[in-house]
Amino acid sequence: MALSLREERDTFGAVQVPFDKLWGAQTQRSLHNFDIGGPRERMPEPIILAFGILKKCAAKVNMEYGLDPNVGKAIMQAAQEVAEGKLNDHFPLVVWQTGSGTQSNMNANEVIANRAAEILGHKRGDKFVHPNDHVNRSQSSNDTFPTVMHIAAAMEINSRLIPGLKTLLDTLNSKVKYGIDRVIDTLPRLYQMSLEQLAQGGTAVGTGLNTKKGFDAKIAAAVAEETNLPFVTAENKFEALAAHDAFVETSGALNTVAVSLMKIANDIRLLGSGPRCGLGELILPENEPGSSIMPGKVNPTQCEALTMVCAQVMGNHVAVTVGGSNGHFELNVFKPMIANCLLHSLRLLGDASASFEKNCVRGIQANRERISKLLHESLMLVASLNPKIGYDKAAAVAKTAHKEGTTLKEAAMKLGVLSFEDFDKLVVPEKMLGPSG
């Protein structure tokens, strides 16, 4: 069956576009020119939703500056559909495109323009609502794309990452006072990053060409109202277009979280190893079979998943670092890759934290019998003998016990350095958790 097509035009001429799609000529050209990676490499959904929010707010502000209210309201309605994810199938472009995100900005402009035209009773492609003159009014890809980067990242941090991390840390703290201070200290930083500073209003190179005075502050206020997040206009629009230090810093904070979670997951994995040939101090939930050949085997699968996520986040941070360092003169042209990597890290860490809490940490139990056995067999308890018999005699006790496979008490008795009573008074594990009185 032949695919039904319609004609769309841009400044390069006519292009045939699938009739059932809302995009236009520039989006279709990008599909031909950047056939890289296939569907899995599409622009992240949070970016698309953020475009809907931004274009809705831009139309709202532009009506204050003379945009036809009928056109403006239709744009707002169409953009709201984008923001709600109703038009995701009309955003086919991949991350690997022009570094300023021009094709994705035009994808949004074309989809919203054609949908708004339909709302007003006109045909797709007739330009009754123009993607540039109306939807993209007072905007440039150079300030629009970094703005949606910030909107998407801030929304993901607040809606997905922080709730997932806080639930995980609360559960960890309810189990045992774990070494998670670095993760806890990092959380407030994620609130304080300069992601709330929007580039919108800087247009092509930061000058604000083709905008009206006050447009930048008004659109930031509109986005803040729409998202219920504290967005403001960036003080320095040139910096907002040429550098993405806020993204590098945010990615660095996520890298720190990944490092901490890697240690936590690995410690839990090792403490739960066994049941007969490992440490076996923790009993981990048994969620699924662990082997296709060894019956009864259960793996620490949640620990494995989380540590793989942490490795991916660390790799993403390298890419964000490289991208952030490549802002040349007035423009950084690694924007889509930077946004993709950061959003990938946010999604993975948020989801993995929630999964790890629900399917592992919540159900962990201490193997008290095993812990007690290992504790009282530990040769390191000999340190509590130092104040009484001195380092050299304590070392002899430990070496004798190790060589002969006996307990410290038995070795101390054999060497005649302590009585049973004195040993029991000195070797009290509960008193070895801090300085003596």
Side-chain angles (χ1 to χ4, degrees):
M1 181 177 177
L3 181 65
S4 179
L5 301 173
R6 73 173 190 277
E7 183 177 279
E8 287 267 359
R9 288 182 171 273
D10 61 11
T11 56
F12 273 58
V15 175
Q16 295 299 308
V17 175
F19 187 81
D20 63 336
K21 299 302 181 183
L22 286 166
W23 66 70
Q26 292 199 43
T27 302
Q28 192 66 37
R29 293 189 196 283
S30 182
L31 283 172
H32 292 311
N33 294 334
F34 299 98
D35 184 11
I36 303 173
R40 65 169 291 172
E41 298 298 322
R42 283 186 177 181
M43 190 64 66
E45 182 180 359
I47 291 288
I48 296 170
L49 305 186
F51 263 120
I53 292 170
L54 179 60
K55 298 299 180 177
K56 177 183 178 181
C57 293
K60 179 181 179 181
V61 175
N62 278 323
M63 282 191 287
E64 298 182 31
Y65 291 100
L67 177 64
D68 184 330
N70 290 327
V71 171
K73 289 176 182 178
I75 290 174
M76 289 183 69
Q77 182 178 333
Q80 180 63 34
E81 293 179 9
V82 173
E84 293 174 356
K86 294 179 179 179
L87 303 181
N88 283 353
D89 290 343
H90 302 273
F91 289 83
L93 301 188
V94 296
V95 169
W96 316 108
Q97 55 177 272
T98 182
S100 60
T102 297
Q103 279 86 23
S104 281
N105 181 42
M106 285 308 304
N107 187 180
N109 291 332
E110 290 175 340
V111 167
I112 292 170
N114 275 327
R115 179 68 187 117
E118 285 185 338
I119 291 169
L120 294 172
H122 293 265
K123 294 181 180 180
R124 299 176 183 181
D126 68 4
K127 299 291 179 70
F128 182 82
V129 178
H130 199 283
N132 298 84
D133 296 338
H134 297 141
V135 183
N136 199 60
R137 178 168 172 160
S138 297
Q139 301 156 65
S140 164
S141 298
N142 291 354
D143 64 347
T144 296
F145 199 87
T147 297
V148 298
M149 288 168 64
H150 283 228
I151 294 171
M155 292 180 68
E156 283 289 290
I157 287 171
N158 284 276
S159 67
R160 188 184 302 275
L161 176 69
I162 289 178
L165 281 176
K166 290 187 72 173
T167 300
L168 171 59
L169 299 184
D170 289 344
T171 303
L172 280 168
N173 274 323
S174 72
K175 296 287 182 178
V176 61
K177 186 61 180 178
Y178 206 89
I180 55 176
D181 292 342
R182 290 176 67 193
V183 180
I184 294 173
D185 290 344
T186 300
L187 287 179
R189 290 179 57 206
L190 291 170
Y191 283 108
Q192 296 166 4
M193 302 299 178
S194 53
L195 289 172
E196 76 278 1
Q197 297 185 19
L198 301 183
Q200 201 66 59
T203 62
V205 295
T207 62
L209 176 68
N210 289 345
T211 64
K212 301 290 186 179
K213 288 183 178 180
F215 176 83
D216 55 351
K218 286 187 176 183
I219 199 167
V223 172
E225 182 180 4
E226 190 73 21
T227 61
N228 199 30
L229 292 172
F231 290 112
V232 295
T233 189
E235 293 184 11
N236 188 332
K237 303 298 191 300
F238 298 96
E239 187 274 340
L241 274 59
H244 292 300
D245 294 346
F247 265 66
V248 177
E249 185 181 5
T250 303
S251 181
L254 297 182
N255 193 64
T256 300
V257 170
V259 168
S260 296
L261 291 181
M262 178 77 83
K263 171 178 170 47
I264 291 171
N266 278 330
D267 285 354
I268 290 175
R269 183 210 312 251
L270 294 174
L271 288 170
S273 61
R276 297 185 178 181
C277 59
L279 294 175
E281 295 187 22
L282 296 179
I283 301 172
L284 306 187
E286 299 181 356
N287 297 325
E288 63 271 315
S291 173
S292 61
I293 191 173
M294 291 181 281
K297 186 173 185 288
V298 177
N299 290 337
T301 52
Q302 290 294 318
C303 296
E304 293 169 5
L306 180 57
T307 52
M308 286 192 289
V309 163
C310 291
Q312 182 65 63
V313 170
M314 295 172 194
N316 286 344
H317 181 52
V318 173
V320 172
T321 301
V322 173
S325 68
N326 274 277
H328 300 139
F329 301 118
E330 289 86 7
L331 187 65
N332 178 293
V333 288
F334 280 67
K335 300 182 194 299
M337 185 273 289
I338 292 172
N340 184 56
C341 287
L342 185 68
L343 290 169
H344 190 212
S345 293
L346 289 170
R347 176 65 184 261
L348 287 180
L349 278 179
D351 287 355
S353 296
S355 177
F356 191 58
E357 186 278 331
K358 177 183 177 182
N359 299 308
C360 182
V361 178
R362 193 184 301 178
I364 287 176
Q365 297 178 10
N367 188 341
R368 298 184 182 279
E369 182 179 348
R370 175 67 170 166
I371 292 171
S372 178
K373 182 176 184 295
L374 293 175
L375 173 64
H376 289 94
E377 289 179 353
S378 173
L379 297 179
M380 294 304 100
L381 295 174
V382 74
S384 60
L385 302 180
N386 288 5
K388 180 71 174 180
I389 65 175
Y391 182 91
D392 292 336
K393 289 182 180 180
V397 170
K399 289 181 179 181
T400 300
H402 177 60
K403 182 178 180 180
E404 298 182 1
T406 62
T407 65
L408 290 174
K409 180 184 283 190
E410 290 170 334
M413 299 307 104
K414 178 178 180 179
L415 296 176
V417 295
L418 282 171
S419 66
F420 275 101
E421 292 77 11
D422 286 341
F423 185 93
D424 289 338
K425 289 179 181 177
L426 292 170
V427 183
V428 182
E430 293 81 357
K431 294 182 179 180
M432 299 178 68
L433 301 176
S436 58

